[in-house]
Amino acid sequence: MITITVVHGWRILRQWLRGPRFWLTAIAFPLLYAGVVNLLFGALVRQFTGDFDPADATILVAVSWAFMLCIMGSGDTLSERDSGIYERFATMPTPYAAALAGRVIVEFVRLIIMMFTLTVVTELVSGSRLLAENAATVIPVWIIVAASAACLGTLVGFSIRTPQGAVAVIPLIVVAMFVNTAMQPAENYRPALRWLAELTPVSAAKRAITESTLAGWLPLLVWSGFLVIVTVVGLQKQKGKVGSH
């Protein structure tokens, strides 16, 4: 099983690395997004609060773009499904789960590359001290976020029937981009949005990074655990459908 997982994952990653899309979506676009957040949204937030930490911008971009990137990748999964590759896996003696695991792992690798590249570059350019001052928490948080986002992207890729199907998830990610405690403190939002600002994945990641307590880590662990469980259950159902064809 491990061999098939590695071979399948490496096949996908090798295809990505050969084309410009990987470098644009995993490197260029998130860095551009970080620049926009720091220059435009940062200036807007400073007018209301008087302060905007570049480290918060890095958290916002890293987490929100991780989920956006995984949804973008779901279209690739759909293309592979349409080509019949996963039906062929289902007829092989190797466990079908190996192919699914390969997809999750390669998505995880792409997200890790994106998140750590973004963190290092913003550390050098914007004056963010996120990694320098919080390395002990940033590293495990990035790993957890990347793993849960990779699971979500894989689940969406195996659930949709058309490329437009993934669009249904994007509004939820957009909400997380703008309603969170990395953008501004929760009390600065309207009362109806304060509870949401505290609970989004971006806010959960920030809290885990800045608070070294179980209570601080709990929201992130709940979010990631929920996504992993939903993915496992969802892919089990998809596996049954493939096996019945």
Side-chain angles (χ1 to χ4, degrees):
M1 176 175 174
I2 295 177
T3 301
I4 294 297
T5 299
V6 173
V7 170
H8 182 48
W10 173 244
R11 180 188 64 81
I12 297 171
L13 183 60
R14 187 172 54 189
Q15 290 177 346
W16 286 350
L17 293 175
R18 288 174 178 173
R21 183 182 173 191
F22 173 89
W23 303 103
L24 289 173
T25 58
I27 306 296
F29 289 169
L31 290 175
L32 180 61
Y33 176 25
V36 171
V37 169
N38 273 295
L39 295 176
L40 298 183
F41 291 104
L44 181 63
V45 171
R46 289 186 186 96
Q47 290 183 352
F48 292 99
T49 67
D51 181 55
F52 184 72
D53 191 347
D56 289 342
T58 302
I59 296 172
L60 167 61
V61 174
V63 177
S64 60
W65 194 259
F67 285 95
M68 188 67 77
L69 187 57
C70 79
I71 298 303
M72 292 179 184
S74 65
D76 298 333
T77 305
L78 177 62
S79 298
E80 291 185 340
R81 287 171 53 205
D82 290 341
S83 70
I85 186 172
Y86 290 100
E87 282 76 5
R88 291 195 291 273
F89 273 117
T91 63
M92 297 172 62
T94 304
Y96 179 70
L100 302 180
R103 185 76 210 188
V104 173
I105 290 173
V106 76
E107 287 284 1
F108 171 80
V109 170
R110 174 165 63 171
L111 296 176
I112 284 292
I113 292 173
M114 181 276 292
M115 298 178 82
F116 280 99
T117 300
L118 172 71
T119 305
V120 171
V121 172
T122 54
E123 196 104 349
L124 297 173
V125 175
S126 70
S128 167
R129 301 285 296 167
L130 180 65
L131 192 60
E133 297 178 356
N134 303 281
T137 51
V138 168
I139 293 174
V141 167
W142 275 190
I143 291 174
I144 292 172
V145 169
S148 56
C151 287
L152 175 63
T154 303
L155 175 61
V156 172
F158 277 92
S159 302
I160 59 177
R161 295 183 178 180
T162 65
Q164 292 74 26
V167 176
V169 185
I170 293 180
L172 300 176
I173 301 174
V174 172
V175 170
M177 287 180 176
F178 294 100
V179 183
N180 58 75
T181 56
M183 180 70 76
Q184 61 180 348
E187 56 267 21
N188 289 352
Y189 292 96
R190 292 181 178 274
L193 293 177
R194 289 174 186 170
W195 66 273
L196 182 61
E198 293 279 6
L199 295 177
T200 60
V202 175
S203 302
K206 179 185 176 181
R207 188 174 176 185
I209 290 172
T210 56
E211 297 182 24
S212 300
T213 63
L214 179 59
W217 278 80
L218 187 60
L220 179 64
L221 295 176
V222 170
W223 262 111
S224 59
F226 170 76
L227 291 176
V228 170
I229 291 172
V230 168
T231 298
V232 171
V233 173
L235 291 181
Q236 279 292 114
K237 292 183 178 180
Q238 293 299 323
K239 175 184 175 183
K241 292 179 181 179
V242 171
S244 64
H245 291 327

